[in-house]
């Protein structure tokens, strides 16, 4: 077994999207090879309804898939195919934009005034760029979870883990999307497929991810006085952790525990031509998509 080295840790940066929604972006609109097959990851979390109430009005997508995971509040959506619905706390939606879709997403606060969720963009390979659009809406009660003997809780949104398989399927990136909670002070090793790109996103508590490039003793010191573990190199709230190759990660939870998303996917390794919510393989394909938008031919008939 080999521990994946930590290539980088970096904070998510505040940005504005949609009609002025304040959110934090962990990555996106930079180097598309960095976390191939994933293109963008946003953390939309806010306690002020005025900072998100205007939402994400009608906009196009082509050539990608998006996964929306709601923790608090709700997100209503509708699209150019006539679909409507709402995602509540714990619910997930995977949208395959394929050949093209117009949709809008409007967040609503919970009873306590909070809104929190994530959106991840996955690229589509050339052979599936123009596939028919589709949705997979999954309620929280349908998402399996596993609790280990040490109290570690893993929700399996996509992929298989510890003998259970998430309900979302047929995704081009063949991803694994896990919501992991590790109790305070617990040190945990989690397996990862060797051939996948992988990242973690810490959003509650803090933890130290063991780096294979350094001895594990560098991360932990035991103080004789107080008998407490002092943890260096902690990754805390809104931190992206990008891993190198290997078949497992090890994390030491901090004094309040740690909760993070662990996401992996098979690299597509194809050229990327990208303009906002439209991602194709060539500049000519991108120009065609923009012409379709102007001409009113962006939405294609079912194949």
């Amino acid at each position: 077994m080999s521990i994946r080295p930590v290539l980088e840790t970096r904070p998510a940066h505040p940005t504005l999207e949609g009609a002025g929604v304040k959110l934090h972006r962990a990555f996106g609109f930079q180097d598309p090879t960095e976390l191939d097959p994933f293109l963008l990851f946003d953390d939309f979390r806010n306690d002020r309804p005025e900072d998100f109430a205007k939402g994400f009005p009608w906009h196009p997508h082509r050539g990608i898939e998006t996964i929306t995971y709601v923790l608090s509040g709700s997100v209503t959506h509708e699209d150019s195919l006539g679909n409507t619905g709402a995602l509540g706390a714990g619910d997930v939606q995977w949208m395959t934009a394929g050949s093209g879709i117009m949709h809008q997403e409007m967040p609503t606060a919970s009873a306590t005034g909070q809104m929190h969720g994530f959106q991840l963009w996955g690229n589509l390979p050339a052979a599936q760029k123009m596939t028919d659009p589709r949705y997979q809406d999954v309620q929280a009660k349908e998402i399996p979870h596993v609790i280990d003997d040490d109290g570690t809780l893993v929700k399996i949104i996509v992929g298989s883990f510890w003998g259970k398989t998430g309900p979302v399927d047929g995704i081009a990136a063949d991803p694994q999307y896990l919501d992991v909670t590790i109790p305070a002070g617990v040190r945990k090793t989690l397996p990862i497929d060797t051939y996948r790109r992988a990242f973690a996103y810490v959003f509650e508590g803090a933890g130290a991810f063991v780096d294979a490039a350094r001895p594990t003793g560098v991360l932990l010191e035991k103080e004789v006085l107080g008998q407490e573990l002092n943890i260096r190199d902690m990754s805390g709230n809104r931190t992206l952790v990008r891993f190198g190759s290997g078949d497992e990660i090890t994390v030491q939870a901090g004094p309040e525990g740690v909760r993070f998303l662990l996401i992996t996917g098979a690299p597509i390794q194809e050229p990327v031509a990208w303009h906002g919510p439209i991602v194709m393989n060539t500049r000519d394909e991108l120009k065609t998509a923009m012409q379709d938008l102007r001409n009113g031919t962006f939405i294609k008939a079912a194949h």
Side-chain angles (χ1 to χ4, degrees):
M1 304 294 285
S2 59
I3 297 175
R4 285 184 175 237
V6 175
L7 298 180
E8 177 187 22
T9 61
R10 65 178 184 238
H13 294 289
T15 188
L16 290 177
E17 271 298 348
V21 176
K22 293 183 178 180
L23 52 80
H24 282 73
R25 177 159 294 153
F27 63 88
F29 299 110
Q30 294 170 325
D31 180 1
T33 67
E34 182 180 73
L35 283 165
D36 178 21
F38 304 114
L39 298 164
L40 175 145
F41 182 86
D42 284 342
D43 178 349
F44 49 95
R45 181 188 335 184
N46 216 301
D47 296 330
R48 290 164 40 92
E50 59 267 34
D51 289 339
F52 59 80
K54 293 183 180 179
F56 307 90
W58 290 97
H59 58 279
H61 284 291
R62 177 179 286 182
I64 64 171
E65 299 182 282
T66 67
I67 184 170
T68 305
Y69 180 28
V70 177
L71 295 184
S72 180
S74 65
V75 177
T76 59
H77 65 89
E78 56 183 315
D79 66 33
S80 51
L81 303 177
N83 299 307
T84 60
L87 302 175
D91 295 346
V92 175
Q93 179 192 84
W94 198 295
M95 182 190 76
T96 302
S99 61
I101 200 166
M102 300 286 292
H103 78 155
Q104 68 171 352
E105 301 157 298
M106 306 303 289
T108 304
S110 67
T112 59
Q114 296 176 324
M115 176 67 215
H116 189 192
F118 308 102
Q119 188 166 93
L120 173 70
W121 290 12
N123 199 6
L124 281 169
Q128 298 182 41
K129 287 288 188 190
M130 298 299 287
T131 192
D132 293 337
R134 68 167 181 151
Y135 282 94
Q136 296 182 69
D137 287 339
V138 179
Q139 294 185 333
K141 63 183 180 182
E142 300 174 65
I143 297 173
H145 67 274
V146 183
I147 302 178
D148 208 3
D149 293 341
D150 58 13
T152 297
L153 168 65
V154 180
K155 296 180 181 179
I156 302 110
I157 296 167
V158 185
S160 297
F161 190 79
W162 285 350
K164 294 196 176 183
T165 300
V168 178
D169 62 6
I171 306 303
D174 189 25
Q176 185 181 57
Y177 191 125
L178 308 175
D179 180 348
V180 181
T181 302
I182 301 176
V186 170
R187 187 183 184 89
K188 196 69 179 176
T189 296
L190 303 172
I192 294 181
D193 187 301
T194 306
Y195 301 102
R196 295 168 181 262
R197 295 278 172 80
F199 71 91
Y201 182 75
V202 180
F203 62 95
E204 287 182 15
F209 290 83
V210 174
D211 190 339
R214 294 176 293 175
T216 56
V218 172
L219 292 177
L220 302 176
E221 288 182 346
K222 194 164 187 178
E223 296 289 333
V224 176
L225 297 176
Q227 297 296 306
E228 294 181 353
L229 288 175
N230 290 336
I231 303 173
R232 299 174 179 173
D233 301 332
M234 297 291 287
S235 294
N237 188 21
R238 294 193 178 105
T239 299
L240 174 75
V241 183
R242 191 163 60 91
F243 300 105
S245 60
D247 52 19
E248 62 185 24
I249 66 164
T250 296
V251 58
Q252 170 74 46
E256 297 180 356
V258 64
R259 186 178 180 187
F260 59 93
L261 302 179
L262 179 60
I263 299 174
T264 73
I268 294 174
Q269 296 179 318
E270 292 181 350
V272 171
W274 189 352
H275 182 78
I278 299 173
V279 183
M280 305 303 290
N281 292 104
T282 69
R283 301 301 299 177
D284 285 344
E285 290 171 340
L286 198 56
K287 289 178 181 177
T288 297
M290 302 308 293
Q291 289 173 351
D292 286 345
L293 272 174
R294 290 191 294 269
N295 298 338
T297 58
F298 188 77
I299 307 303
K300 306 299 181 183
H303 299 162

